């Protein structure tokens, strides 16, 4: 039994009834049955009596992803099949030549797709392809590191860093057909090491690793041709130094969001007796903060994380030094924003932050990034730095 696709009355809005000359158009509805030549594939749809061949071709071309001119409409007239012109009214029974199916056809690529970066997004792309039925396997993931996880988590994050995204959406296996990872219900904010372990485990479970080339650094990409463009990737193996090339049908690059940290030098650093470090890449032994006063320059998410870590390591006082204060978000408000089915307005977000800010006697409505009307019902937040998530 071949496929039979039936389209409902929702397609009627696509047709534009037009009469002949000054005559009004016919708005009576008829049922059209279309089949593909020498197959048992069929599609059925309602049309107006005056709906033209070119209109139906346009609908099918959009659905299938092809050029309307590749289709030839015919209908049986007597003992022969006559080709229908685009300007003619669509017949009740049509046989179509030039296509193989009424479903969108996947393009066949001569070369694999190259995904540069085996971090969260690169692995998610690979997993999504492998979850297709049948699995799509014409791809390669390359990464210069010796394990999956990406630069942000493997290099920039501290061992004390924790995930700040609730509901499990950041985890690879979170999918519309898969739901939450089970352990996210117990530990929705895993540490860096726990998250990297889950990246590895999920990559193994979903069969991603056979398509990943680790220790592979892409040094050059050449674009080949203007039509049916392909790409030549020059790659260097990080351990052996061996150089190789591959041809790819497409290239997707996911280098990471935290690959180039901003570094500053301040006058007098060479005269300071204490530790001056960047609060990333495990550059600081937080045990040294015990009983000490700590100054943190910056007010973004990593700055807020470092305040938490210094407090957990019994620093006596932590100062945050910044040009202007950026909003930090209580974890319960972050949970509300991420878990809500409907979007959470900026006004509600600001209101929900009040208990935390009231504890320290600060009016969050006065921050530079907050724009609100007098009644505080219409609110816009314009802040470049990501919200630091607090535990209050």
């Amino acid at each position: 039994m071949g496929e039979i696709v039936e389209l409902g009355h929702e397609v009627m809005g696509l047709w534009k009834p037009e009469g002949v000359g000054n005559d009004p158009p016919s708005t009576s509805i008829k049922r059209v049955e279309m089949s593909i030549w020498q197959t048992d594939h069929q599609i059925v749809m309602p049309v107006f009596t005056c709906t033209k061949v070119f209109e139906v071709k346009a609908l099918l071309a959009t659905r299938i992803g092809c050029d309307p001119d590749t289709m030839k409409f015919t209908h049986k007239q007597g003992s022969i099949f006559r080709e229908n012109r685009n300007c003619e009214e669509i017949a009740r029974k049509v046989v179509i030549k030039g296509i193989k199916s009424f479903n969108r056809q996947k393009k066949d690529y001569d070369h694999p797709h190259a995904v540069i970066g085996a971090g969260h997004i690169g692995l998610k792309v690979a997993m999504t392809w492998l979850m297709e039925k049948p699995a799509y396997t014409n791809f390669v993931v390359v990464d210069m590191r010796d394990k999956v996880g990406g630069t942000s988590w493997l290099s920039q994050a501290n061992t004390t860093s924790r995930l700040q995204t609730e509901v499990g959406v950041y985890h690879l296996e979170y999918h519309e057909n898969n739901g939450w990872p089970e352990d996210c219900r117990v530990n929705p904010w895993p540490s860096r090491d726990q998250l990297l372990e889950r990246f590895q485990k999920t990559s193994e479970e979903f069969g991603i690793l056979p398509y990943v080339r680790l220790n592979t650094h892409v040094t050059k990409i050449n674009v080949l041709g203007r039509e049916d463009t392909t790409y030549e990737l020059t790659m260097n193996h990080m351990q052996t130094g061996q150089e190789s090339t591959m041809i790819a049908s497409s290239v997707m690059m996911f280098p990471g969001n935290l690959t180039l940290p901003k570094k500053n030098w301040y006058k007098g650093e060479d005269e300071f007796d204490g530790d001056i470090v960047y609060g990333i890449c495990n550059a600081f032994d937080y045990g040294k903060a015990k009983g000490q006063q700590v100054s943190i320059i910056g007010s973004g998410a990593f700055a807020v994380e470092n305040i938490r870590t210094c407090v957990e390591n019994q620093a006596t006082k932590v100062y945050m030094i910044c040009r202007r204060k950026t909003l930090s978000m209580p974890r319960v408000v972050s949970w509300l924003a991420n878990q809500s089915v409907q979007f959470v307005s900026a006004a509600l977000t600001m209101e929900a932050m009040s208990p935390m800010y009231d504890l320290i006697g600060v009016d969050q409505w006065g921050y530079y990034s907050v724009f609100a009307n007098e009644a505080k019902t219409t609110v816009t937040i314009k802040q470049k730095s990501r919200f630091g998530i607090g535990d209050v």
Side-chain angles (χ1 to χ4, degrees), residues 253-391:
M253 293 185 286
F254 305 110
N257 192 37
L258 302 174
T259 53
L260 295 173
K262 181 180 179 181
K263 295 187 176 182
N264 291 317
W265 185 86
Y266 296 96
K267 184 178 179 180
E269 282 191 26
D270 52 345
E271 301 175 5
F272 185 69
D273 290 335
D275 289 298
I276 300 177
V277 296
Y278 289 91
I280 58 175
C281 306
N282 282 321
F284 180 56
D285 176 8
Y286 288 95
K288 294 182 179 181
K290 183 177 181 179
Q292 302 297 316
Q293 297 187 47
V294 179
S295 294
I296 295 175
I297 299 176
S299 61
F302 253 123
V304 173
E305 174 191 307
N306 275 272
I307 292 176
R308 181 199 70 209
T309 307
C310 288
V311 170
E312 289 175 343
N313 283 272
Q314 303 178 41
T316 56
K317 183 170 288 189
V318 180
Y319 295 92
M320 176 178 282
I321 303 171
C322 49
R323 287 176 296 176
R324 52 185 183 181
K325 295 185 291 185
T326 54
L327 287 169
S328 294
M329 181 177 287
R331 192 170 296 280
V332 68
V333 181
S334 176
W335 184 282
L336 170 66
N338 282 311
Q339 185 171 263
S340 177
V341 175
Q342 304 296 331
F343 74 90
V344 177
S345 68
L348 178 57
T349 300
M350 293 296 295
E351 183 180 348
M353 290 181 181
S354 293
M356 181 185 77
Y357 281 96
D358 288 346
L359 283 174
I360 56 175
V362 173
D363 179 16
Q364 76 272 25
W365 295 93
Y367 277 46
Y368 81 93
S369 57
V370 180
F371 300 84
N373 62 354
E374 187 174 353
K376 299 179 180 177
T377 55
T378 302
V379 183
T380 300
I381 301 174
K382 295 182 178 180
Q383 179 171 297
K384 185 176 181 180
S385 297
R386 179 185 174 182
F387 290 113
I389 308 299
D391 293 311

Side-chain angles (χ1 to χ4, degrees), residues 48 85 125 128 162 299 305 319:
F48 292 114
R85 292 176 293 178
V125 169
T128 302
R162 294 201 286 266
S299 61
E305 174 191 307
Y319 295 92

Side-chain angles (χ1 to χ4, degrees), residues 184-209:
C184 290
R185 302 177 186 276
V186 180
N187 181 23
W189 304 291
S191 68
R192 182 201 72 171
D193 291 346
Q194 289 172 329
L195 189 64
L196 288 172
E197 181 181 350
R198 173 154 288 281
F199 280 158
Q200 178 69 25
K201 181 180 178 181
T202 304
S203 297
E204 294 172 357
E205 290 176 350
F206 282 83
I208 298 173
L209 294 182

Side-chain angles (χ1 to χ4, degrees), residues 90-211:
I90 188 73
R92 290 182 182 273
K93 290 192 176 183
V94 176
V95 176
I96 304 174
K97 298 180 180 180
I99 58 175
K100 297 179 180 179
S101 171
F102 289 116
N103 293 320
R104 183 174 290 271
Q105 299 300 296
K106 292 185 177 179
K107 179 178 174 61
D108 291 326
Y109 292 91
D110 296 330
H111 307 285
H113 303 282
V115 180
I116 300 177
H120 178 265
I121 301 300
L123 294 175
K124 190 73 172 179
V125 169
M127 191 192 79
T128 302
W129 275 333
L130 293 174
M131 289 180 70
E132 292 184 6
K133 297 191 181 303
Y136 188 75
T137 60
N138 190 23
F139 68 91
V140 175
V141 181
V142 297
D143 196 288
M144 63 189 299
R145 299 185 176 277
D146 61 357
K147 61 181 69 175
V148 299
T151 299
S152 297
W153 288 104
L154 287 168
S155 177
Q156 310 298 355
N158 301 309
T159 52
T160 54
S161 298
R162 294 201 286 266
L163 186 65
Q164 295 187 349
T165 305
E166 295 84 4
V167 198
V169 295
Y170 192 85
H171 297 274
L172 289 179
E173 61 269 56
Y174 183 85
H175 188 271
E176 59 183 0
N177 298 327
N178 207 44
W180 280 31
E182 188 58 35
D183 60 352
C184 290
R185 302 177 186 276
V186 180
N187 181 23
W189 304 291
S191 68
R192 182 201 72 171
D193 291 346
Q194 289 172 329
L195 189 64
L196 288 172
E197 181 181 350
R198 173 154 288 281
F199 280 158
Q200 178 69 25
K201 181 180 178 181
T202 304
S203 297
E204 294 172 357
E205 290 176 350
F206 282 83
I208 298 173
L209 294 182
Y211 303 94

